[in-house]
Amino acid sequence: AVDKKLAEIYYLKNDFNKAVEAYANFAMGPTATEEDLVKYAFALFLNHDFDKSLEVANMGLQKNARHAAFNRLAMYNYTDLKRFDEALKAADVFFKECDKADYSYLDYMYYGHLLESLKKYDDAVVQYEKAVKMDPTKTDLFKNISSAYEQKNDYKKAISAYQKYYTSLDKEHQTPDLQFQFGRLYYGAGTQTDSLTINAEERKQALMAADSVFHSIAEAAPDSYLGNFWRARANSALDPETTLGLAKPFYEEVATLLESKNDPHYNSALIECYSYLGYYYLLAIENPALKAEAKANKDKSIEYWSKILAIDPANATAKRALDGIK
């Protein structure tokens, strides 16, 4: 009786660690009620002990297979344990067969997570929308909806959903890192390979929108390379033949910044910068309009390909480029 009273007090105070300890002393015994078992399983779940919570929930299901709370916890725990096929079976029972089920936004959110993990993106969106309809304050769910659409390459809907999330925030919470996702989505729309989904003009507009977002980020966070790095990528996609060199000033700026950091963590980004610049100057060697500068352009191209080999001596692209120049 003392353990039960302590468990209930700790549970109500959201001290789930101590609640678990108290429930463990009696909840699996003959004096425990079904409600005790539910609270024990839920305390374990909230304490992130998903295996033990699942064990307790399954014990409850052996006694009452249509019990809503035990099936709910089975779905939650299987999902968090990434046992998705079993989670889906639990979800089917929970949503279709349980007695007296009182669904919450959390139920639909978890079901959405599960379906998204199984790559059932349209079905996941339906559940996320049910969740946010049930609790309109949970605007974070628009990020999940955006993510589901992004994973099926439906960038228009992904951008629309993300816009709902972003505009739901106070101005002080509309930070550059959240703006960055807008740029990524516009960039994804502009570089997707499905020509039936987006035409050339829409592709150009998406890439220009991406460039605008990344420009704002570069100005807001000048010590970070990411704004200009993604501006370079957007402009490179706007100039796929590298005839205009739209990405050149941004890759140059990023290379200068990352070289000053002298940190191997940035080697991959530096190789991307050097690859673009090496290729740009390689094309310039053969440009009749730049014949007078051919020697200088050749030297610059060799310089950038050589910088790649200094980072990655086995880089096949750099080796081929240098062999071709020489």
Side-chain angles (χ1 to χ4, degrees), residues 235-287:
N235 279 276
S236 180
L238 282 165
D239 177 27
E241 302 300 322
T242 320
T243 52
L244 303 175
L246 297 182
K248 179 175 176 285
F250 308 114
Y251 274 127
E252 286 175 333
E253 191 165 339
V254 172
T256 299
L257 176 62
L258 296 185
E259 285 170 350
S260 71
K261 293 181 182 292
N262 193 28
D263 184 344
H265 175 74
Y266 299 111
N267 282 351
S268 177
L270 273 172
I271 287 174
E272 182 175 328
C273 295
Y274 295 153
S275 296
Y276 176 91
L277 294 167
Y279 183 66
Y280 170 82
Y281 283 110
L282 185 63
L283 293 180
I285 298 170
E286 304 300 327
N287 189 335

Side-chain angles (χ1 to χ4, degrees), residues 10-255:
Y10 288 134
Y11 191 91
L12 290 171
K13 289 176 64 179
N14 294 334
D15 189 341
F16 300 113
N17 193 43
K18 289 184 178 178
V20 163
E21 292 176 4
Y23 277 119
N25 291 328
F26 75 94
M28 307 289 272
T31 62
T33 65
E34 195 172 64
E35 185 182 355
D36 292 331
L37 210 57
V38 168
K39 287 184 176 178
Y40 182 34
F42 225 104
L44 286 162
F45 168 75
L46 294 169
N47 213 32
H48 293 179
D49 190 346
F50 304 126
D51 284 306
K52 184 65 177 178
S53 177
L54 180 61
E55 178 189 332
V56 176
N58 281 335
M59 182 178 293
L61 288 172
Q62 288 174 8
K63 299 177 182 179
N64 184 351
R66 294 162 64 94
H67 194 285
F70 290 131
N71 278 292
R72 169 186 284 120
L73 282 162
M75 179 182 73
Y76 286 9
N77 284 303
Y78 279 130
T79 299
D80 281 324
L81 290 168
K82 302 187 187 305
R83 293 165 62 176
F84 300 126
D85 289 338
E86 293 161 293
L88 191 59
K89 291 176 183 177
D92 284 341
V93 175
F94 177 56
F95 286 107
K96 297 175 184 176
E97 300 177 19
C98 280
D99 298 322
K100 300 177 183 178
D102 186 14
Y103 302 124
S104 70
Y105 91 90
L106 199 62
D107 296 331
Y108 295 122
M109 185 193 79
Y110 255 90
Y111 197 18
H113 290 339
L114 168 61
L115 292 166
E116 187 176 356
S117 297
L118 291 167
K119 300 184 179 181
K120 298 175 181 288
Y121 301 122
D122 288 328
D123 293 336
V125 167
V126 170
Q127 300 307 319
Y128 288 140
E129 287 177 339
K130 286 181 182 178
V132 78
K133 184 177 181 180
M134 180 162 279
D135 188 346
T137 68
K138 305 298 183 182
T139 56
D140 272 12
L141 290 170
F142 286 119
K143 281 197 299 183
N144 297 101
I145 294 171
S146 177
S147 173
Y149 279 129
E150 181 185 3
Q151 290 179 88
K152 63 180 295 230
N153 295 325
D154 190 338
Y155 286 98
K156 287 182 179 178
K157 289 182 179 177
I159 291 166
S160 176
Y162 195 78
Q163 181 73 43
K164 289 178 182 177
Y165 161 68
Y166 188 78
T167 54
S168 74
L169 301 172
D170 296 331
K171 287 289 183 182
E172 61 267 25
H173 293 123
Q174 295 177 349
T175 54
D177 60 311
L178 296 183
Q179 289 179 327
F180 183 81
Q181 177 64 0
F182 269 124
R184 279 191 65 260
L185 290 171
Y186 282 121
Y187 178 80
T191 56
Q192 62 180 297
T193 56
D194 186 358
S195 59
L196 297 177
T197 305
I198 184 170
N199 61 39
E201 182 57 30
E202 289 176 319
R203 193 182 302 277
K204 179 181 177 182
Q205 292 301 319
L207 289 169
M208 289 175 68
D211 177 62
S212 177
V213 172
F214 295 134
H215 183 196
S216 297
I217 292 169
E219 289 187 332
D223 293 334
S224 171
Y225 78 98
L226 287 173
N228 280 319
F229 188 62
W230 280 84
R231 281 200 84 184
R233 287 179 167 178
N235 279 276
S236 180
L238 282 165
D239 177 27
E241 302 300 322
T242 320
T243 52
L244 303 175
L246 297 182
K248 179 175 176 285
F250 308 114
Y251 274 127
E252 286 175 333
E253 191 165 339
V254 172

